[in-house]
Amino acid sequence: MPVKLKSFVGGRWHQGSGKTVTLLNPATEEPLAETSTGGIDFRAALTHARSVGGPALRSMTFAERAEKLQELYEVLFANREEFIELSIENGGNTRNDAKFDVDGATATLLAYVDVGKQLGDRHLINDGESTQIGRTPRYAGKHILTPLHGAAVHVNAFNFPAWGMIEKAAVAWLAGMPVVSKPATSTALLAHRMTEIIIDSAVLPEGAFSFIAGSVGDLLEHLGPQDVLAFTGSGDTAAVLRRLDAHTKQSVRVNVEADSLNAAVMGPDVEAGSETWQMMLNEVVTDVRQKAGQKCTAIRRVFVPPAKLESFSDALGERLEDIVIGNPAEASVRMGPLVSANQLDDVRAAIEVLQGQTTKVTGSLEPEELLGIQVGKGYFLTPHLFRVDDAASAPIVHEREIFGPVVSVLPYEDTGTLINSCAAGGGSLVSSVYSDDRNFSRELLIGLAPFNGRLTHGSSRVAGISPGPGTVMPMLVHGGPGRAGGGEELGGLRGLSFYMQRTAVQGYSALLDKFFPD
Ligand code: NAP
C-alpha cells in the first residue's frame, strides 16, 4: 500500500480526506505514496503561522536565525543519503541529478547562514546611507527594512522538490517570516521527508514551518496584506495566481519564477575543438541530459555562426546519442525518465510541432534500449536535437518551452540579429555567451542583459571551473523578465527584501543614527 503523506499545519500533522493523488516512480510506474488535503482548515493554518511562528522568528536577531539555519543544514545533511534515494525513486533522477537538488538545498542554507552572520546582532536592516533632506544636516531620512508580519506562502515546481523548498524557505526564515510550503504533488515525497526531519529536529520555533502535501485548497483565498506568495512553475499557473483577489485588491506580493527559453551563444572566434568550443559543448550536453532537461535554467536554444551550424550540431548529436538512458537507480544510467505521463505527453506534442519546422539531428519518442526498464514502462524519450537552417522559419523555438531533453541549434548572421533572436524568447532566466573575443563578449553581455536575469560568460579562462548556466548560485539573483516571470529570488542579501517592508524614516539625524546604527 502506498504511504499517505500528511500535511503539517497549525503545529500538527493532518491526514487529508477525500480525493487522493498517487505519486509514482516515473521509471517503473510503481505507486509510492498518496496525498490529499481535503478537510484541512487553511485559514487557521495561516493564522497559526502568522500569530505563533512570526513573533517567534521576529524576536530573534539575524545572527540567531542564522544559527537555526546552520542547525537545519546539519540535520538535513545527516540525512542526505535517504534524500538522494527518494529523489531517485520519486523524481526519476540519476544519483548525480538527485545530488544536484539535495546538495543545492543544503548549500543554499549555508550561503544564507553567512548572510545572517554578516547582518549579525540586529533585527532590522539599514538600506543605504542617511540623506540630508532639510536645509540643515539636522533633518535627515533613511530607509529601513523590517520583516512583514504575515506568512510566506511558497508554491514550488516538480523538478526541484528539495532545493525549491529550501532555497525559498532559508531566505524567508532569515528575513523573519514563517513559511507555508507547498511542493508540486507529483514529486512531493522528498520534500515531505525533509519536512518530517525538520519538524522532528525542533530546530525551528513553533509555527515557523508549515507544509502542504497536495493541493493548496482555498489557502490562497485567505492571504492578507502582510502575507507574500512566491511561486515557481508554469506561466499558465502564474497567470491564475496573478488574478488572486489577495494580489489585485490587497497588494499581496507575488514573486513568479516561470518558464524560460534560455539561449547559449557561440562567438565567431570559437574554433571547433578549442577549449571554449568544448566548454560550450559540455554545458549544452549537461543541460539536455541533467534531470532529462526538466530544469528551468536549461539551455533550449543554441546560436552559432552559420559556418559552425553543421559541425556543432553533429558534435552535439554524437554526444547526446552516447547518453545511457534507463532506470536512474542503475549506476551507469546518465539520464532518467520525465517525471510523469502528463509531462511526457506535453513534450511529445511539442516535439511533433518542432519536427515540422526544423531538421531533426537525433532523438526518438519511443526509445528502444532502456537500461533496467521493463518494456513499455516509464516516461522515457531520448535526447532530441533539432537544427534550424533558417532562423525565421521556426517560430516554435522562440515561443514554446519544451520542458524535456530537447535543444535546437540556430545560425545567426550578426550581433544585432543575434540579440534580437535571443530576445525573441520573451525574457529568460539565464543565457550564456562563449567567446574569447572581448569586444564580441562585451557587446553580447550588455545587449542580452535587459532580456535575462543572469548571464554566464564562458571562455578558455574559466573552462573547467564554471558550473554552467544551469546552476543557480545563492549569492546571485535568480529570476528573469517577461516569460521567465519577472521575479527575483536569492541574490544574497537582495533576496531578503521580498519578505521585508522598506520604510523611509525622516527626523532628527542624530536620533535616526542612534535608532538605526550602521
Ligand atoms: P505547474 O503545473 O505550474 O505547478 C507548479 C506548482 O503550482 C505546483 O506546486 C502545483 O501544484 C501548483 N499549482 C498548480 N495549479 C495551481 C493553482 N490553480 N493554484 C495554486 N497552485 C497551483 O508547474 P510544474 O509543472 O510543476 O513545473 C514546470 C514549470 O515550472 C516549467 O514551466 C518550468 O520552467 C517552471 N520552473 C521554473 C523555475 C524557475 O525558477 N523559474 C524553476 C523550476 C521550474 P500541484 O502539483 O499540486 O498541481
Side-chain angles (χ1 to χ4, degrees):
M1 275 289 285
V3 288
K4 288 198 178 343
L5 302 187
K6 293 182 179 169
S7 297
F8 187 80
V9 295
R12 65 182 185 84
W13 290 100
H14 292 257
Q15 175 75 69
S17 56
K19 191 168 163 263
T20 58
V21 177
T22 304
L23 281 60
L24 302 174
N25 177 327
T28 62
E29 299 181 38
E30 171 203 357
L32 300 173
E34 284 178 353
T35 65
S36 161
T37 56
I40 295 179
D41 184 345
F42 286 115
R43 183 201 288 269
L46 281 174
T47 304
H48 182 264
R50 292 179 196 124
S51 60
V52 179
L57 284 167
R58 292 197 299 276
S59 71
M60 296 178 195
T61 63
F62 287 104
E64 287 168 337
R65 289 179 215 141
E67 274 174 36
K68 296 288 176 195
L69 298 188
Q70 175 74 41
E71 287 173 46
L72 280 185
Y73 165 79
E74 281 154 25
V75 166
L76 293 176
F77 192 75
N79 292 280
R80 178 175 181 263
E81 278 307 317
E82 183 186 356
F83 297 152
I84 289 171
E85 287 306 317
L86 288 173
S87 173
I88 293 170
E89 216 181 358
N90 184 210
N93 294 302
T94 62
R95 186 174 164 81
N96 278 340
D97 292 355
K99 285 195 280 185
F100 190 58
D101 184 24
V102 171
D103 293 343
T106 45
T108 306
L109 267 176
L110 276 191
Y112 275 89
V113 169
D114 284 345
V115 175
K117 282 183 183 162
Q118 281 161 28
L119 289 168
D121 199 13
R122 55 173 71 214
H123 291 89
L124 57 84
I125 299 175
N126 280 330
D127 180 24
E129 306 277 303
S130 296
T131 317
Q132 179 180 329
I133 49 175
R135 273 173 300 158
T136 80
R138 282 163 61 86
Y139 195 65
K142 67 191 307 177
H143 293 91
I144 59 168
L145 294 170
T146 53
L148 291 167
H149 282 210
V153 175
H154 295 163
V155 178
N156 287 313
F158 70 76
N159 53 349
F160 285 98
W163 175 81
M165 178 166 82
I166 296 296
E167 59 96 14
K168 285 187 174 67
V171 186
W173 286 325
L174 185 62
M177 281 193 88
V179 169
V180 179
S181 187
K182 181 243 175 303
T185 302
S186 57
T187 56
L189 200 52
L190 171 56
H192 181 268
R193 184 65 189 131
M194 288 181 122
T195 302
E196 283 183 329
I197 283 167
I198 291 173
I199 299 301
D200 287 351
S201 75
V203 166
L204 294 169
E206 187 181 340
F209 192 32
S210 309
F211 177 85
I212 299 171
S215 152
V216 286
D218 63 357
L219 173 88
L220 304 181
E221 289 164 30
H222 303 300
L223 292 178
Q226 287 281 308
D227 299 324
V228 301
L229 171 62
F231 167 76
T232 297
S234 63
D236 289 347
T237 309
V240 172
L241 301 189
R242 284 198 168 107
R243 290 195 290 271
L244 284 169
D245 276 0
H247 180 53
T248 57
K249 297 188 177 147
Q250 299 190 68
S251 307
V252 167
R253 292 179 192 171
V254 177
N255 190 72
V256 172
E257 297 293 337
D259 59 50
S260 181
L261 290 164
N262 311 298
V265 172
M266 176 189 283
D269 58 299
V270 178
E271 294 300 334
S274 67
E275 228 176 341
T276 308
W277 166 287
Q278 213 53 41
M279 177 184 187
M280 178 168 178
L281 192 58
N282 291 342
E283 293 189 352
V284 178
V285 171
T286 298
D287 274 7
V288 177
R289 178 200 56 71
Q290 196 169 48
K291 297 179 81 60
Q294 298 164 111
K295 215 170 56 176
C296 54
T297 49
I299 297 166
R300 308 285 178 200
R301 301 174 297 156
V302 177
F303 294 91
V304 300
K308 309 277 168 47
L309 183 65
E310 207 169 314
S311 51
F312 192 76
S313 303
D314 289 350
L316 182 55
E318 273 176 37
R319 289 281 301 275
L320 295 179
E321 281 166 12
D322 281 347
I323 293 171
V324 178
I325 307 167
N327 190 334
E330 302 268 350
S332 52
V333 165
R334 292 285 165 269
M335 192 179 101
L338 295 187
V339 81
S340 64
N342 278 348
Q343 196 57 29
L344 182 61
D345 287 348
D346 268 12
V347 172
R348 279 185 169 154
I351 286 175
E352 302 283 355
V353 182
L354 199 54
Q355 282 181 164
Q357 300 183 8
T358 63
T359 305
K360 186 161 90 177
V361 179
T362 188
S364 163
L365 293 176
E366 303 287 348
E368 281 163 18
E369 286 177 45
L370 293 172
L371 202 80
I373 292 294
Q374 201 186 322
V375 178
K377 286 289 180 194
Y379 311 124
F380 292 94
L381 77 170
T382 70
H384 277 67
L385 168 61
F386 294 91
R387 200 183 66 224
V388 181
D389 296 316
D390 171 9
S393 68
I396 185 180
V397 175
H398 309 292
E399 284 165 5
R400 186 145 164 193
E401 182 203 47
I402 307 179
F403 210 55
V406 183
V407 67
S408 303
V409 183
L410 303 92
Y412 68 84
E413 291 301 331
D414 53 61
T415 51
T417 51
L418 172 57
I419 291 167
N420 286 342
S421 299
C422 293
S428 303
L429 292 170
V430 59
S431 290
S432 43
V433 177
Y434 299 84
S435 171
D436 287 283
D437 178 329
R438 292 188 180 192
N439 289 334
F440 173 84
S441 300
R442 184 172 185 280
E443 185 181 352
L444 256 288
L445 291 173
I446 294 172
L448 293 179
F451 310 104
N452 287 272
R454 184 163 57 90
L455 294 169
T456 71
H457 182 225
S459 70
S460 55
R461 294 298 186 113
V462 294
I465 58 170
S466 150
T471 303
V472 172
M473 310 305 288
M475 306 319 289
L476 301 179
V477 292
H478 172 58
R483 164 196 289 273
E488 201 175 273
E489 282 183 344
L490 299 170
L493 188 58
R494 293 172 188 84
L496 270 63
S497 57
F498 180 66
Y499 300 99
M500 305 182 87
Q501 177 61 39
R502 179 181 287 109
T503 306
V505 189
Q506 306 167 217
Y508 176 34
S509 54
L511 214 49
L512 290 187
D513 289 342
K514 226 180 173 62
F515 290 161
F516 313 117
D518 287 334

